[in-house]
Amino acid sequence: DHVSMGVTAALLTSGNELASAQKMLAESSRDTGDLIDSITVTAPGQSTPPYSQPGGSRVAGEMEVLVTAGNEQTRYVHLVEFGTSKADPQPFFWPAYRLLKKRLKGRIDRAGRKAIRDAWSGK
């Protein structure tokens, strides 16, 4: 329906913006580029890659867009993000989220309010 289309578009835009910021922050940890390439935006109804972080493989809900990092070949995302006893952390995933959280939430809230107003007025 019209309401969910407007909100889904805002969710996808926000997911892509977040993924881009994460990829940019992950550049400092670049070795092969596999980690950066594994950062994925999953649309509603689609499955996240196996072994992705956070949460592993799961299906995004009807009004949900998921941004994950990692896959079957790239299972070390948490080691880069949080470090190990032999390697310092090189955080990229959560810092990008914290940096953009307010902006993304605002976009999604505005899209939801607009979709409801439009539906209420019959547009």
Side-chain angles (χ1 to χ4, degrees):
D1 68 39
H2 183 69
V3 172
S4 63
M5 284 178 20
V7 174
T8 299
L11 287 168
L12 286 168
T13 298
S14 295
N16 286 318
E17 182 178 350
L18 177 57
S20 292
Q22 290 170 336
K23 288 177 181 188
M24 189 171 61
L25 289 178
E27 277 296 329
S28 65
S29 68
R30 179 183 282 279
D31 184 18
T32 64
D34 291 345
L35 183 144
I36 295 166
D37 293 341
S38 78
I39 297 171
T40 305
V41 178
T42 303
Q46 301 298 309
S47 292
T48 60
Y51 304 100
S52 59
Q53 299 290 321
S57 183
R58 76 178 191 87
V59 176
E62 182 180 334
M63 296 295 288
E64 183 178 46
V65 169
L66 303 171
V67 179
T68 57
N71 54 37
E72 289 181 78
Q73 294 77 35
T74 311
R75 298 186 189 188
Y76 53 83
V77 171
H78 61 291
L79 303 176
V80 174
E81 181 78 7
F82 300 110
T84 68
S85 62
K86 297 178 181 177
D88 289 335
Q90 298 178 57
F92 66 94
F93 194 90
W94 295 111
Y97 171 75
R98 287 190 296 273
L99 179 69
L100 295 173
K101 180 180 177 180
K102 185 176 179 181
R103 173 184 166 92
L104 304 179
K105 182 182 181 322
R107 175 186 293 129
I108 294 162
D109 288 350
R110 282 188 304 278
R113 286 191 302 271
K114 181 181 182 324
I116 290 168
R117 274 193 314 273
D118 290 351
W120 188 262
S121 66
K123 289 185 181 178

